[in-house]
């Protein structure tokens, strides 16, 4: 059997008896009809159903919000109706050998029997394919490996079936694939067609996503929708790099954020972060949404997620955040801005990028603390351990924190300074910890934390040893035990 030559026609994966390559390995292809998808609105959603909440999460972790755009339907629509769902199954090994394994390579919803003449990356929401960024794949991660098609009308109902998904896809023994069709709305018949290979995504995928493609007829109407699970070594269709279209879309979204109603703003917030650094001019507008008194918690969280994604590629925009923080912003807006800053490091591909960002933000926060703003302490604590080592700017910020009135901050900063190579830094930190240990008016938990932090230092100053000798005779057993143990360790 001949291995098929390279082609950008994704329907090659749905031709029975073909032999293609899966990351360099020959695999046999077969097709299987797994059910009929009922679309009531014609707005198709492709997703991992286990990651769809019943509604947008108002106080979700930003990592969750960054991944929620897959609940949005695709931009193109089809006529409501009933459409077959077909899977492309690839098999490695021979016959019934134990080493044989079957996996799902691609999944297709077939709207017409006509063969497409061109392919278009499936964009979500109101986004145009022309505004997609080059060299990226727009899709979702399936971990665990469950993929599904459904109509946008019933996205809110999916969470009700979570247990059934888990039961369906854990009963069978790998290596086998499985599928299920569940009705979500009995009155209309709207359903979900879900399927799984029973395995996690291939290790060679890296950060790839399960992306989808529209197969279009000559007149542009969709004849099929194919979701690519990133197995086969087929060249994927290309799409043009239109920077002008992306900038135009960003500015359109900025207008929606300024003047749109709540629903329009919500859609814009979920999309605009996907443009990364190309949406840098939107950071000010996004900060405005966080500060707006009419913004609800969900809107602030989505705005924070978008800021994080943009600043990860355009770190110079962090200066706007710094200016707002310096102005004295408090309460929920302050918390949302801090979560945005903390998430920049998660979104960035450069692990060193966040160090300078943390230093800039912490400089502003420490100044507010020194000016008497005690409410800023909680925001500072999260950044103490984000500072990079061997950076003079970071060490000086930590030394400044040793002089603050917040004792927990003093302990955290002193413990962090144990990583410095400067004896002067060590002496300042040890003195701060010693003063806390010997002060019997302070809470026991804080005194114990200070004593425990001394263990991080390679040496102890005379002041620190004196504090430990004092604590070793304390009436508090835990503090006395820590002090004696440290004295033996540094004898």
């Amino acid at each position: 059997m001949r291995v098929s030559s390279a082609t950008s026609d994704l329907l090659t994966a749905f031709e029975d008896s073909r032999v293609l390559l899966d990351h360099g390995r020959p695999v046999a292809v077969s097709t299987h009809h797994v059910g009929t998808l009922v679309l009531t609105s014609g707005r198709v959603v492709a997703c991992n159903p286990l990651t769809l909440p019943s509604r947008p999460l108002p106080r979700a972790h930003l990592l969750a919000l960054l991944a929620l755009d897959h609940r949005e339907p695709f931009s193109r629509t089809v006529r409501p109706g009933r459409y077959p769902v077909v899977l492309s199954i690839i098999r490695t090994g021979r016959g019934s050998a134990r080493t044989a394994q079957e996996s799902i390579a691609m999944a297709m919803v077939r709207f017409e029997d006509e063969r497409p003449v061109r392919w278009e990356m499936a964009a979500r929401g109101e986004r145009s394919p022309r505004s997609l960024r080059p060299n990226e794949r727009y899709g979702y991660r399936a971990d665990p490996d469950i993929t599904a098609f459904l109509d946008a009308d019933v996205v809110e109902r999916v969470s009700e079936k979570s247990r059934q998904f888990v039961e369906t896809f854990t009963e069978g023994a790998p290596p086998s694939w499985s599928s299920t069709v569940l009705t979500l709305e009995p009155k209309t018949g709207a359903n979900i067609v879900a399927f799984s290979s029973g395995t996690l995504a291939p290790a060679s995928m890296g950060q790839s996503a399960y992306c989808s493609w529209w197969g279009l007829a000559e007149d542009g109407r969709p004849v099929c929708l194919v979701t690519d699970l990133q197995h086969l070594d087929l060249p994927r269709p290309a799409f043009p790099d239109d920077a002008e279209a992306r900038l135009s879309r960003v500015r359109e979204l900025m207008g929606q954020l300024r003047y749109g109603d709540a629903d329009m703003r919500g859609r814009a917030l979920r999309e605009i972060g996907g443009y990364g650094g190309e949406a840098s001019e939107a950071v000010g507008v996004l900060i405005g949404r966080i500060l707006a008194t009419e913004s609800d918690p969900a809107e602030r969280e989505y705005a924070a997620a978008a800021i994080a994604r943009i600043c990860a590629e355009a770190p110079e925009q962090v200066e706007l955040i710094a200016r707002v923080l310096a102005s004295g912003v408090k309460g929920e807006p302050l918390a949302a801005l801090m979560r945005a800053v903390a998430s920049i490091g998660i979104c960035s591909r450069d692990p060193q990028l966040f160090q300078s960002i943390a230093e800039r933000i912490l400089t502003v926060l420490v100044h507010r603390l020194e000016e008497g703003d005690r409410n800023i302490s909680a925001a500072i604590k999260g950044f103490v351990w984000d500072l990079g080592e061997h950076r003079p700017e970071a060490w000086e910020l930590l030394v400044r924190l040793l002089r603050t009135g917040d004792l927990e901050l003093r302990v955290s900063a002193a413990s962090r300074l144990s990583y410095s190579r400067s004896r002067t830094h060590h002496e300042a930190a040890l003195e701060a910890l010693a003063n806390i240990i010997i002060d019997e008016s302070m809470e026991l938990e804080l005194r114990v934390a200070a004593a425990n932090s001394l263990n991080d230092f390679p040496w102890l100053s005379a002041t620190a040893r004196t504090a430990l000798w004092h604590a070793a005779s304390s009436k508090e057993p835990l503090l006395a035990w820590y002090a004696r143990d440290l004295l033996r360790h540094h004898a």
Side-chain angles (χ1 to χ4, degrees), residues 25 27 111 145 149 179 239 268 316 352 418 421:
R25 302 174 302 167
V27 291
F111 306 115
D145 181 18
F149 294 117
S179 65
F239 54 92
E316 70 280 358
Q352 299 301 318
S418 67
R421 297 179 180 178

Side-chain angles (χ1 to χ4, degrees), residues 174-372:
S176 62
W177 59 273
S178 55
S179 65
T180 187
V181 180
L182 300 175
T183 299
L184 300 175
E185 179 52 67
K187 291 183 179 180
T188 62
N191 62 3
I192 180 170
V193 180
F195 35 91
S196 172
S197 290
T199 59
L200 296 181
S204 56
M205 271 181 59
Q207 297 299 315
S208 295
Y210 290 0
C211 52
S212 300
W213 302 84
W214 291 107
L216 305 177
E218 187 68 43
D219 60 2
R221 72 183 188 281
V223 297
C224 66
L225 176 68
V226 172
T227 291
D228 180 7
L229 275 63
Q230 301 290 320
H231 276 282
L232 296 175
D233 299 345
L234 293 176
R236 272 56 178 184
F239 54 92
D241 178 5
D242 194 337
E244 185 175 341
R246 292 193 295 275
L247 180 58
S248 175
R249 179 58 178 165
V250 166
R251 289 173 176 170
E252 181 181 351
L253 294 172
M254 290 170 62
Q256 294 175 10
L257 291 173
R258 287 189 178 104
Y259 311 115
D261 57 22
D263 288 341
M264 184 178 291
R265 292 198 304 269
R267 291 193 297 271
L269 287 171
R270 291 192 290 274
E271 178 183 339
I272 198 165
Y275 294 95
E278 293 180 298
S280 60
E281 61 185 67
V283 171
V285 178
L286 291 167
I287 292 175
R289 293 315 316 164
I290 289 178
L291 299 178
T293 56
E294 71 271 16
S295 293
D296 60 22
E299 191 166 348
R300 288 195 175 103
E301 294 302 313
Y302 279 106
I307 288 171
R309 299 174 75 180
I310 294 170
C311 289
E313 295 184 15
E316 70 280 358
Q317 296 301 314
V318 172
E319 188 59 31
L320 294 179
I321 303 176
R323 293 174 190 171
V324 174
L325 292 175
S327 69
V329 60
K330 300 178 181 178
E332 282 300 316
L334 169 62
L337 286 172
M338 296 306 296
R339 288 192 288 274
V341 174
S343 297
I344 295 173
I346 298 172
C347 299
S348 174
R349 297 174 182 176
D350 179 6
Q352 299 301 318
L353 170 66
F354 189 63
Q355 305 308 321
S356 58
I357 291 175
E359 290 167 13
R360 177 68 183 103
I361 297 300
L362 191 54
T363 299
V364 173
L365 299 180
V366 170
H367 179 72
R368 283 182 58 173
L369 186 65
E370 292 171 338
E371 291 294 313

Side-chain angles (χ1 to χ4, degrees), residues 3-85:
V3 176
S4 298
S5 59
T7 174
S8 60
D9 185 0
L10 299 181
L11 290 194
T12 303
F14 294 89
E15 296 177 0
D16 282 307
S17 301
R18 282 269 193 174
V19 175
L20 300 173
L21 295 177
D22 173 17
H23 299 88
R25 302 174 302 167
V27 291
V29 176
S30 61
T31 57
H32 298 263
H33 177 269
V34 293
T36 300
L37 178 65
V38 179
L39 298 177
T40 52
S41 71
R43 297 175 297 149
V44 187
V45 176
C47 65
N48 177 345
L50 292 183
T51 59
L52 285 180
S54 57
R55 60 186 62 85
L57 306 177
R59 293 185 179 273
H61 190 283
L62 286 183
L63 282 178
L65 297 179
L66 294 176
L68 279 182
D69 59 348
H70 66 260
R71 67 181 283 126
E72 296 288 332
F74 293 121
S75 306
R76 284 187 176 272
T77 59
V78 298
R79 292 192 305 274
R82 301 168 60 88
Y83 301 104
V85 177

